[in-house]
Amino acid sequence: MAQSLADIPAVERRAILSAFGSLLITLAALAVFSWLAAHVLTSNTQHFDIYIREFIHAHAPTWGTPWMLRITMLGNWYIILAETIVLLGILLALRRRQDARLLAVTMFGAGMLDSVLKLLIRRVRPIAYFGFPAPDTYSFPSGHALVTLCFVGFVAGLITQSIERRWVRGLIWAVAGVLVALIGLSRVYLGVHYPSDIVAGYAAGLAWMSAVGVVAAREQRAREKKREVARAR
């Protein structure tokens, strides 16, 4: 007889619901990215992108540029790489091998995904503002947005998984969200990306993180079943 959701143990039920939620997020993020990519390839986002770029540039305060230069550095690949290596070392030292493996898969996959998508779409970067040196890579999607979302999201998830108070978890995720949003804004502010590049980077990063979350949830469920079988013997 088929087992109803109410008959499943609470821990396993949460894992199933978490995996289902991650799958829905993955599909929604993929839909957003696909829609944007299709419109970028046909230049349908050009009017929107140019309007937002020029609006932000026209209203850029003189004191904002130094801050945006600092903020955008937080998403540079060598900064994220260094932080990933340090966090990986900490997790391994704490013998949290599963978290370390998950971090390695998340960040390596994010970097590969960014490179592959850039080569597939091949969108030329806009002319940068303030004399900021534009990267040599393609523009769509934004690597800063994609990789930063994955790293900051992973760290926020790592911190909040052991915190019981909802308001503390909410605060940590809010801070993470603001940081990711500011890094994305800094790329448009400095003129090295179109707004649609940033949104696509977030969508791709969210899809990748959610997909990894689905696999991780399945593995966690399999480990719990093994422990239950071992205890029953």
Side-chain angles (χ1 to χ4, degrees), residues 28-40:
L30 282 174
V32 171
F33 180 85
S34 300
W35 183 85
L36 280 171
H39 281 74
V40 165

Side-chain angles (χ1 to χ4, degrees), residues 75-108:
N76 287 349
W77 70 266
Y78 51 86
I79 299 293
I80 297 294
L81 178 61
E83 292 171 342
T84 299
I85 292 171
V86 170
L87 181 55
L88 199 61
I90 293 172
L91 292 173
L92 289 173
L94 295 173
R95 297 184 178 180
R96 297 176 62 171
R97 293 184 179 87
Q98 175 62 19
D99 287 333
R101 186 167 69 90
L102 201 59
L103 172 63
V105 169
T106 299
M107 298 313 298
F108 178 77

